[in-house]
């Protein structure tokens, strides 16, 4: 007997409707701790941007999604300007918010008073999660691939 149900998640002022079915092959819940393995399909470290002066290199990253579908995303990067006589500096870019999951598809949101900002899209299949960043913004249109710990 196949049954279906709707589950409403309420997290940080964001309501998301997630549909599930009684099918024994259901999408994996995105909840968990993840480590970054690839950026734009290449194993880390990866040069994401290069100019005549500096390279921006992704060195590591983490993503966690808790049982309330709140997320924390951290990306470690090195800005290497040594070829132009500058310094090499390690920085971390971080964001946090809520996640809505519909099947294998994910949407990452920032909830601020009076507004909800759509940050990233992604998907989860088994222990692999991908996160796609928009072309505009500090992470500049890249695909990050994570593996659940």
């Amino acid at each position: 007997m196949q049954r279906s149900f709707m589950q409403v998640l309420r997290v940080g002022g964001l309501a998301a409707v997630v549909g599930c079915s009684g099918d024994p092959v259901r999408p994996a819940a995105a909840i968990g701790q993840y480590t970054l393995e690839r950026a734009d399909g290449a194993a880390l470290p990866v040069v994401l941007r290069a100019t005549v002066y500096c390279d921006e290199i992704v060195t590591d990253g983490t993503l966690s999604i808790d049982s309330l579908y709140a997320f924390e995303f951290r990306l470690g990067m090195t800005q290497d300007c040594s070829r132009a006589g500058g310094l090499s500096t390690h920085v971390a870019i971080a964001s946090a918010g809520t996640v809505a999951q519909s099947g294998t598809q994910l949407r990452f949101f920032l909830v601020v008073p009076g507004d909800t900002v759509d940050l990233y899209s992604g998907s989860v299949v088994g222990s692999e999660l991908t996160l796609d960043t928009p072309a505009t913004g500090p992470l500049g249109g890249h695909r990050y691939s994570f593996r659940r710990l």
Side-chain angles (χ1 to χ4, degrees):
M1 171 200 240
Q2 185 161 8
R3 295 181 294 170
S4 63
F5 62 95
M6 295 298 288
Q7 178 181 12
V8 177
L9 300 174
R10 177 121 176 108
V11 179
L14 172 69
V17 179
V18 179
C20 300
S21 71
D23 187 334
V25 181
R26 287 190 301 205
I31 297 166
Q33 303 291 319
Y34 297 85
T35 187
L36 183 63
E37 289 193 335
R38 304 179 87 67
D40 292 338
L44 301 180
V46 175
V47 176
L48 289 186
R49 291 185 196 109
T51 69
V52 294
Y53 303 107
C54 301
D55 292 333
E56 290 183 6
I57 305 160
V58 174
T59 57
D60 62 277
T62 59
L63 175 68
S64 64
I65 301 173
D66 70 18
S67 61
L68 296 176
Y69 280 81
F71 81 89
E72 291 182 11
F73 170 48
R74 188 195 64 76
L75 189 64
M77 298 184 76
T78 297
Q79 184 175 33
D80 182 3
C81 298
S82 59
R83 73 171 160 267
L87 300 175
S88 182
T89 308
H90 189 75
V91 297
I93 298 173
S95 61
T98 60
V99 179
Q101 181 175 1
S102 177
T104 61
Q105 299 305 301
L106 303 171
R107 295 301 300 178
F108 295 80
F109 299 95
L110 173 63
V111 179
V112 294
D115 199 9
T116 300
V117 180
D118 191 285
L119 294 175
Y120 320 118
S121 61
S123 63
V124 62
V125 177
S127 64
E128 296 182 17
L129 185 147
T130 59
L131 185 143
D132 297 311
T133 61
T136 58
L139 300 177
H142 298 284
R143 172 169 278 185
Y144 300 98
S145 301
F146 295 84
R147 179 162 307 280
R148 189 177 315 208
L149 297 175

